[in-house]
Amino acid sequence: MSEIIIKNESQIEGVRRSSKLAGETLNFIEPFVKAGVTTAFLDEKIEEFIVNYGAIPATKGYNGYPKSSCISLNEVVCHGIPSENTILKEGDILNIDVTTILDGYYGDTSRMFTIGEVSPKAKDLIEVTKHCLDLGLKQVQPGNYFGNIGFVISRYAKAKGCSVVFEFCGHGVGLNFHESPQVDHAARKNSGEKMKPGMIFTIEPMINSGRPSTVIDKNDGWTARTVDNKLSAQFEHTVLVTKTGFEVLTDVDGNYPIT
Ligand code: MF3
Ligand code: CO
Ligand code: CO
């Protein structure tokens, strides 16, 4: 793998602006996420919002990916392709993942949405997954090892009876969509590289109710499903290593302190 890029102040400001837009896009789409709408409709709204801002949806055309977002329902782990044939219904859980390019800088974030009443099992999985992301973020500070992100995430997920997807990872981000390092969500304590101020990467745990393995849809080449068709959930933020801790660049709701 290539070197981990240390961003300078002006690059950080660029990634910060793009990341805010990605976060705002998720807030924008929230009121449209309800029973009866198609995921293709949500994708169109997302594309319109991003383009109207003067930005580009990074996924469209990325390695042939056709849409402006990934929308992953229920047993879909990630990379669900928005479709006219996918209609949201009561009880569904879904992840919407948005990556923006603004003035050449990338911001990447995703979160879960629920349609009406969802099962207690689904609610628990979503809560566990959100907590996994928060535990990972708290590991971000200069001198700490990347492996400790995956260490705390997998320890907690397993304690809650869930499994951690190992076939998809977080990643450096900012000047490109996917940069070094690969950020594993299951890892050994004190493994991997050390974090340094100016590094920017995603943490995006995918947590399953059942087994951790995934299968890619043979027909579209993208949609990753759980091998046992049990539920999967995911949350993602883009995070900056500061001199003393971290700044969640895609946080537009003031949910995280800047340390
Ligand atoms: N946004 C996803 C991530 O978090 C990547 C999607 S790539 C695509 O890394 F091609 F599937 F869109
Ligand atoms: Co990502
Ligand atoms: Co993403």
Side-chain angles (χ1 to χ4, degrees), residues 108 171 178 202 204 236:
D108 188 3
H171 49 92
H178 293 108
T202 73
E204 49 182 297
E236 173 175 30

